[in-house]
Structure formats: C-alpha cells, structure tokens
Amino acid sequence: MEYKKNDVIKVTIEDMGTAGEGIGKINGFPLFVKDAVIGDTVEAKITKVKKNYAYARLEKVLAPSPFRVEPVCACHRQCGGCQLQSMDYEKQLLFKQDKVKNHLVRLGGFAEEEVKRVLEPVVGMESPYRYRNKAQYPIGKDREGNPAAGFYAGRTHSIIANTDCFLGREENREILETILTYMKEFHVPPYEEENGTGLVRHVLIRTAFATGQIMVCLVLNGHKKPDGYLPHQEELLKRLSQIDNMTSVSVSINTEKTNVIMGKEVRTIWGKDTIRDCIRVRDMEKEDMPFTGEKLEFAISPLSFYQVNPLQTEKLYSLALQYAGLTGKETVWDLYCGIGTISLFLATRAGQVYGVEVLPQAIEDARANAERNHIENAAFFTGKAEEVLPEFYEKHRHEKESDSMARPDVIVVDPPRKGCDEKCLKVMLEMAPERIVYVSCDSATLARDLRILCDGGYELRRVRPVDQFGHTVHVETVVLLSYNSRRFLKEKRTKRFEKIIM
Ligand code: SAH
C-alpha cells in the first residue's frame, strides 16, 4: 500500500468490526478506525500498517453519520470501556443482532436463510445508562499526586479521575468522594502500582436494585493493625454509614502484585455480610414482557458472581426459562450454574434440577439461595461440567426410569466466554435431551458449539440476543435447540455424531 504510519487520510466508514471499530476502505484496502461510526466520513491518522489492512486513529469527524450521537461521558474515548457510546442506541442493538447472525453464518456454517428464520429481535434496554449494579474503581494518584478514583490512562500508572461512570449508579460518586476525602484528611496513602506501596487499591460498590441496599468493599494492600484495617477507621465508617441505604462495609486484603482485583477473603467491618436482591420472572412470549408475579431472592457478598445488569438479567433468565418449555415434571441439568440463579428459575417449573459449577464458594451460595427460596428440587454439584456430567452419565446410563439423571428432558448451559468443552458437548449428545438451551456471552464460541450440537442431531429453533451491556460490544444470546423425533433420528444422529467426535 502506498500509505504509511502517520499519514492522515480521509475515509468513509462503511462497516463495523466485532470490536466496535469503524471500517473504511482506501483503494480497496481496509482501514480500522477506532471510535468512528458507520456512516461517518472522517479524517484518520494511520497508526499501524499490516500486509492486508491498517489501523488508524480518529482525528476529526468531517461529516457525521446519521447514527452518530453526542456521547454523555467526556472520558469515553480515553477510558475505552464503552466502545459504542458515539452510536445511537437503536443502531447499537442492530449491530449486536448482526454480530450474532454473522457469527452463526460465518463461524457456525449455518445457512443465512435458516439463521434469519430463527433469529428473533434483540431484547434491548429501556434505558441504556446507569444499568450496572457493580462498580470497581481503582484508587491511585492523579498527576498532582492526590488520591483519585477513576481509570488508568492507557498503559500508564496514573489515574484519570472520574467518579461518575454513566453505566453505574449516581450514588457511587458520593461514596467515592467520601472515601477520597477521608483519605486526604487522614493521609491514607493510595496504592501505587509501579512499586507496590500504599494502602487502598480498589473500591468495589454493589447495589441491589430491588431493595436499594448498598455494599462497599475496600481492597487493601496491608494487614490489620491493632486499631483496625485502616487508620481512623471509625471516622470512615461513620461517614459511609450515613449514606442512604448503606448496608454493608467490608475490606478485602490483597497484597499481591497482580491484576486480580479482590483478595481471597473478605471481612465485614460495618453492617451486614451480604445484601439482598430479587430477580423477577417475566413472560417473554408477550411483546411488553410483563412480570408474572413470581420472584426469587438472592444474597450477594463481595466475592459472589452476580449478573451486573439486573433488569436485563430478568429478561435473559426468563427467556431461558421459556425456551426450556417446562411443565413441572422435567429433569433438567443446568451446567455452569454459578450461584444457581438460572437453576432456581428452572426449579420453579421443573421436576428436578441439577446444577454444576466449578467454584465451591458459588455452589455454597447456590445451596443457600435454594434454601432461602424454599426450593427443594434443586441439587448442586461442584466440579467441571466436562467431568461431572460424564461421571453421572456413566453411572446412570443403564437406568430405564424417565426421571433418570442420565436422561434429562432439558440441558441448559451458560458457559464463560470460551464456550463449552468438547467433552461436555459430547456427553450432552449422548444424553440426548429433548431440548438444549444455550445461554452465551460470546457469539463466536456459541456458533462453534452450536455447529457440533447440530451435527449431532439437534436443530436450531430459536435464537434471541439480549443486550446486557449497552454501549459496549458485548452481547448475550439465548438459543433453543431441539431434538424432537428422538427415536426416529437416533440412528442418523449416531452416525453424524461419530463423524464429528471420533
Ligand atoms: N449461570 C450463572 C453463571 C454464568 S457465568 C449466572 O447466570 O449467574 C459462568 C460460570 O461458569 C461461572 O460461575 C464459572 O465459575 C463457571 N465455570 C467456568 N468453567 C467451568 C467448567 N468447566 N465447569 C463448570 N463451571 C464452570
């Protein structure tokens, strides 16, 4: 290509990449421009030239796209957390819908017609700001050396102060300012990444939307002293406890030089150990998704995994529940069950639910949550899905009973981004449930796994993206697969399956 680094060029953005970058072409050569929106004509400076494409930085918008909007957050380009904030929310939703479709077609090898037939419209948010119930702010020094909360500037060690991320709650600002003022007054040193000194590393804030209860956890680089974990601890607690709805204040010790935020243990220093939240069931078959009146209660501690967008989570789980098609008798496995949120949803309509999760603490939470909601038909197992499931299958495969663990009616999976282990998919195919519900946070690995399941005899029935993370490029997807004529297809399935797995 005749262009080189630092050249400034004019380009029209015609497409968007999966990471949210704008894609334009100069003489047929693709140029990836971060922060540019599809439809923009921009001036961009080339930052890196590769053999078949180049990267560029947005310098100036010459003619804005009809989809371009004024971002609400002044820091959004520096922070990088919201890759799509300059794009109209409706267009963001279409981008996500397209991303799922393209992955199914290009990576999953499904025919475009088939995907179009089963793909339902993305479930968007009513309001795409202030949706997060969890905020984790790094604490450090700003350029003047004052304690600050915000985000790290690029690859540096200094913090760009921003105590009001628009994805989080408004109250976070008051909480952070209270902590920073206390630190300044009492000379409590912020953590310094480059040399591992200082005390306060991170502040974690969690809010239960249903009850309003707030939890604050300070991550500290130092152990307990005779007068407490923090100097003048009483003064900090007095101020924090005056904030409306403050329910729990804790500390977590993390003295390691690591990117992991939380330490292994948490000590409550004021109030309760957990906050209480509710997740309500919605009827997703109706267009306005009304609440059904059923709800489940969960206790959340600083270390527990809990979905970060509670309002969309209700829709996501309700969709999984609806796709599972339960009538009260079914045996269901819920793999990658975390603290049992989806399992307990399923248990309200199933005969028996078995949850599997690798983290022992999460399984403890799952059992406590089952008890809290008086659910007796959910059992939980600690271990990797790809190990626990084959083990039970081997043990129970010769049983004839219809409620056998080896012959579930439905299997639900909600794996992390890397998707399901192939061994896990293989046993799922052998167990041959009527329906599989796949909840995914990465449509690329989803497409890969769906190909294996469909080659093993399943059919794509319904696919619906759910926007859990407005302004970012992430998208959650719920998929229903079914294997209706089990006996009729059995032979065919086994043959196809052998081809794939062996
Ligand atoms: N369904 C839950 C959690 C989904 S997140 C919810 O919605 O809240 C994915 C979960 O899978 C995490 O809790 C993670 O700890 C767990 N996990 C990761 N790898 C696993 C594996 N190989 N087997 C079982 N669980 C696993």
Side-chain angles (χ1 to χ4, degrees), residues 397-408:
R397 58 189 275 198
H398 298 299
E399 290 170 6
K400 289 270 176 328
E401 300 91 277
S402 60
D403 61 350
S404 161
M405 291 174 106
R407 303 264 166 255

Side-chain angles (χ1 to χ4, degrees), residues 147-165:
F151 53 88
Y152 285 105
R155 290 185 203 97
T156 73
H157 291 295
S158 74
I159 294 264
I160 297 195
N162 177 21
T163 51
D164 189 21
C165 166

Side-chain angles (χ1 to χ4, degrees), residues 88-103:
D88 176 61
Y89 184 61
E90 288 304 313
K91 188 70 180 171
Q92 290 183 22
L93 292 177
L94 293 177
F95 163 80
K96 294 186 185 190
Q97 180 96 355
D98 246 27
K99 180 170 167 171
V100 172
K101 189 194 87 189
N102 289 337
H103 277 158

Side-chain angles (χ1 to χ4, degrees), residues 448-468:
R448 176 200 70 198
D449 291 352
L450 290 180
R451 170 45 53 210
I452 294 178
L453 292 171
C454 289
D455 284 348
Y458 283 82
E459 223 182 312
L460 273 189
R461 292 283 171 181
R462 304 178 76 169
V463 178
R464 193 158 192 196
V466 179
D467 187 23
Q468 296 275 93

Side-chain angles (χ1 to χ4, degrees), residues 305 307 317 336-338 341-342 357-359 383-386 414 416:
F305 175 88
Q307 294 275 354
Y317 290 174
Y336 313 88
C337 70
T341 29
I342 295 180
E357 159 66 43
V358 73
L359 295 179
K384 290 185 174 165
E386 60 272 24
D414 182 10

Side-chain angles (χ1 to χ4, degrees), residues 53-299:
Y53 56 93
Y55 294 103
R57 188 169 51 227
L58 173 65
E59 292 283 299
K60 198 152 93 195
V61 178
L62 299 172
S65 153
F67 308 115
R68 179 171 273 282
V69 293
E70 190 59 40
V72 296
C73 174
C75 308
H76 93 283
R77 277 185 72 180
Q78 275 169 300
C79 162
C82 293
Q83 305 87 354
L84 302 177
Q85 222 188 78
S86 305
M87 191 154 89
D88 176 61
Y89 184 61
E90 288 304 313
K91 188 70 180 171
Q92 290 183 22
L93 292 177
L94 293 177
F95 163 80
K96 294 186 185 190
Q97 180 96 355
D98 246 27
K99 180 170 167 171
V100 172
K101 189 194 87 189
N102 289 337
H103 277 158
L104 291 181
V105 173
R106 290 181 199 159
L107 304 176
F110 294 95
E112 185 151 355
E113 283 317 304
E114 183 186 3
V115 174
K116 279 189 178 152
R117 188 160 40 79
V118 294
L119 186 59
E120 298 171 38
V122 49
V123 183
M125 281 179 229
E126 275 124 67
S127 164
Y129 292 101
R130 308 250 175 245
Y131 60 79
R132 286 182 63 99
N133 57 12
K134 173 179 171 183
Q136 293 181 114
Y137 278 88
I139 306 290
K141 286 184 176 170
D142 63 14
R143 289 219 177 82
E144 280 78 53
N146 292 314
F151 53 88
Y152 285 105
R155 290 185 203 97
T156 73
H157 291 295
S158 74
I159 294 264
I160 297 195
N162 177 21
T163 51
D164 189 21
C165 166
F166 280 88
L167 302 192
R169 304 281 281 184
E170 262 173 296
E171 305 89 273
N172 293 351
R173 176 180 214 144
E174 188 189 352
I175 295 164
L176 291 164
E177 299 295 344
T178 303
I179 295 169
L180 293 173
T181 307
Y182 147 83
M183 287 176 67
K184 261 184 236 167
E185 259 176 59
F186 295 99
H187 306 288
V188 181
Y191 182 63
E192 291 181 47
E193 248 191 352
E194 63 268 47
N195 53 26
T197 61
L199 184 61
V200 185
R201 292 177 78 134
H202 270 90
V203 172
L204 163 78
I205 308 171
R206 285 184 131 170
T207 312
F209 278 35
T211 59
Q213 295 181 339
I214 299 174
M215 158 180 281
V216 172
C217 180
L218 292 106
V219 183
L220 304 179
N221 175 43
H223 295 276
K224 192 177 180 183
K225 306 261 160 42
D227 55 343
Y229 290 93
L230 290 143
H232 302 274
Q233 188 169 301
E234 285 313 308
E235 189 54 39
L236 174 68
L237 293 178
K238 193 173 118 202
R239 295 180 193 182
L240 283 176
S241 61
Q242 279 162 6
I243 293 172
D244 282 350
N245 289 318
M246 187 58 65
T247 306
S248 165
V249 182
S250 56
V251 292
S252 176
I253 310 298
N254 183 0
T255 54
E256 316 255 311
K257 270 201 157 188
T258 159
N259 288 333
V260 177
I261 295 177
M262 300 293 288
K264 292 200 173 62
E265 275 183 55
V266 168
R267 292 267 176 272
T268 304
I269 53 172
W270 182 87
K272 301 204 163 84
D273 293 339
T274 57
I275 53 174
R276 214 164 32 79
D277 200 17
C278 291
I279 306 183
R280 298 158 296 180
V281 182
R282 284 175 178 266
D283 180 353
M284 298 300 288
E285 219 51 274
K286 305 220 170 80
E287 207 180 327
D288 59 344
M289 303 172 276
F291 293 110
T292 63
E294 302 151 283
K295 64 176 182 187
L296 292 169
E297 201 180 281
F298 295 91

Side-chain angles (χ1 to χ4, degrees), residues 15-30:
D15 204 354
M16 303 283 291
T18 48
E21 69 280 34
I23 305 174
K25 282 194 176 144
I26 34 170
N27 304 333
F29 193 82

